[in-house]
C-alpha cells in the first residue's frame, strides 16, 4: 500500500539524485530519490572524468530544492530475488519549485 509523507531535501548528490528526510517519522529517516524520465550528465569518480555540465546540473537542482519541503509518495513491495524494494516519488514538489511543468500528452 502506498504511503505519502512530507520530507525535506537534505542532499543533492547529482542532477538526478536527492536525499529526502522524512519529517513524519521518529527518528527521521532519509530516503534516496532518483528523478525519473530525465537524462543528466554523470559526475566523475575514480578514473572517469565529469561529463560536460554535470556540476551545473547538480547546482541547478541544489539551488531549487535544498532545504525545501516536498510531498513524496513511497511504495514498498517484494521483488524476487531481493527481499524488499521501495520506490519513492516526489509527487508535486518538482513542479511547485519550478523544476518542471505538467504537460498534456496526446491521446
Amino acid at each position: 500500500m502506498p504511503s505519502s509523507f512530507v520530507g525535506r531535501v537534505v542532499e543533492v548528490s547529482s542532477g538526478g539524485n536527492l536525499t529526502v528526510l522524512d519529517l513524519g517519522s521518529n527518528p527521521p529517516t532519509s530516503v534516496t530519490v532518483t528523478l525519473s524520465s530525465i537524462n543528466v550528465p554523470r559526475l566523475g569518480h575514480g578514473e572517469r572524468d565529469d561529463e560536460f555540465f554535470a556540476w551545473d546540473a547538480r547546482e541547478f537542482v541544489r539551488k531549487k530544492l535544498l532545504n525545501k519541503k516536498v510531498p513524496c509518495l513511497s511504495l514498498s513491495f517484494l521483488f524476487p530475488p531481493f527481499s524488499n524494494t521501495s520506490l519513492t516519488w516526489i509527487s508535486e514538489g518538482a513542479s511547485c519549485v519550478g523544476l518542471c511543468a505538467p504537460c498534456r500528452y496526446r491521446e
Side-chain angles (χ1 to χ4, degrees):
M1 172 161 249
S3 64
S4 60
F5 63 92
V6 175
R8 185 173 43 112
V9 177
V10 293
E11 180 185 3
V12 178
S13 56
S14 72
N17 292 330
L18 315 167
T19 302
V20 178
L21 190 66
D22 183 0
L23 299 175
S25 65
N26 192 10
T29 56
S30 62
V31 178
T32 301
V33 177
T34 301
L35 302 176
S36 67
S37 302
I38 62 168
N39 293 326
V40 295
R42 297 173 63 182
L43 293 170
H45 60 46
E47 297 294 320
R48 190 179 75 216
D49 292 333
D50 293 338
E51 292 182 5
F52 292 111
F53 301 109
W55 283 101
D56 294 333
R58 178 183 178 265
E59 285 301 303
F60 177 79
V61 174
R62 188 184 69 78
K63 287 178 183 177
K64 291 284 189 178
L65 286 179
L66 194 64
N67 291 323
K68 298 274 173 59
K69 289 184 180 179
V70 291
C72 297
L73 177 69
S74 183
L75 175 65
S76 296
F77 58 94
L78 291 176
F79 182 76
F82 306 107
S83 60
N84 191 5
T85 303
S86 178
L87 298 175
T88 304
W89 293 272
I90 296 178
S91 54
E92 298 167 357
S95 62
C96 69
V97 295
L99 276 180
C100 62
C103 64
R104 180 180 221 131
Y105 289 101
R106 289 183 230 161
E107 295 180 6

